[in-house]
Amino acid sequence: MPAPQHLGGWRTGALLAAGAAYALAVAATTPFTTSANVLTGLPIVGLGVLAVARWPWHPTPLEAALPAHGRHPYRAWTGLLAAIVVWELAQYAARGSRGAHPTLSSMADAIDRHYLVKAVVVFGWLCLGALIVAKGTQASVPRRRAREAP
Amino acid sequence: MTAAISYAVWGLLGAALLGLWAFSRSADSPVARPAVVVQRLATGPLLRLALVAWWMFTGWHFFAR
């Protein structure tokens, strides 16, 4: 009988392989078509269903799971996110062509023209969705264990 | 020229993202790791709604519409 870790490794590997195959399928679709809508919509609906089914109704926010000297562990991330949002809005509102003022969307459109690169981006999006579901599910663990999260 | 400046700023922001990611993974870093940031967002009563909405929007916007 295989060890539990062995089964976990197989399960993770199977999920990653399925995600990669799905990403290749999504990358093969063209935006504004039914196939793109359906293949993109399925993970969106899936995440919604999983979040409702697995997440606690009254979550306990994670306390700072960081060393004592890290008093503001999220400040740097918040600052970087703010800078990205400000630059995105500045580019979006700027006069001139989109080529002269690229936004994240226009750069994504350029990337989407390359099949394998688009597949990698889709795979990353799927992995992020799985991470979001997993991390939200862990909200039900005791606070002492939540502090020990990696 | 304008496009070069725009792409340069995007490049700097991308480099800052990667640098912060790497710094957060160093020993005794005061910066939260990305997985911890996601966990903090996913366990906030309102933040988790915003996180899920953002993930859904980006997927739909980038790959479907």
Side-chain angles (χ1 to χ4, degrees):
Chain A
M1 185 174 152
Q5 299 104 318
H6 202 121
L7 286 174
W10 269 103
R11 188 180 164 202
T12 303
L15 283 173
L16 286 173
Y22 197 87
L24 289 169
V26 173
T29 64
T30 304
F32 298 98
T33 62
T34 302
S35 57
N37 291 346
V38 170
L39 287 182
T40 307
L42 282 174
I44 290 174
V45 173
L47 185 135
V49 170
L50 283 174
V52 170
R54 298 185 64 177
W55 286 6
W57 284 105
H58 301 287
T60 302
L62 174 74
E63 293 178 351
L66 291 163
H69 62 271
R71 295 184 63 192
H72 302 286
Y74 307 111
R75 181 177 285 174
W77 289 109
T78 306
L80 181 58
L81 176 64
I84 291 173
V85 169
V86 166
W87 189 242
E88 168 78 0
L89 291 176
Q91 295 301 291
Y92 183 75
R95 289 187 176 186
S97 69
R98 187 55 62 220
H101 302 282
T103 60
L104 288 173
S105 294
S106 66
M107 290 189 287
D109 286 343
I111 286 173
D112 283 355
R113 295 189 193 106
H114 305 279
Y115 174 65
L116 284 179
V117 179
K118 182 179 179 181
V120 170
V121 174
V122 173
F123 185 68
W125 177 68
L126 292 173
C127 288
L128 180 59
L131 182 69
I132 290 171
V133 170
K135 293 300 181 183
T137 304
Q138 289 175 357
S140 59
V141 302
R143 287 173 83 89
R144 188 172 59 80
R145 283 186 59 200
R147 276 190 222 110
E148 295 165 1
Chain B
M1 180 63 187
T2 309
I5 295 172
S6 296
Y7 282 114
V9 173
W10 279 124
L12 285 174
L13 289 170
L17 181 71
L18 293 176
L20 195 56
W21 189 312
F23 180 58
S24 71
R25 297 189 65 81
S26 62
D28 295 329
S29 173
V31 178
R33 292 186 176 193
V36 177
V37 176
V38 172
Q39 187 168 4
R40 175 65 186 87
L41 294 172
T43 54
L46 293 177
L47 285 174
R48 64 180 182 169
L49 298 178
L51 178 66
V52 167
W54 170 80
W55 182 85
M56 290 177 169
F57 170 78
T58 51
W60 189 255
H61 183 54
F62 286 172
F63 311 126
R65 296 279 160 179

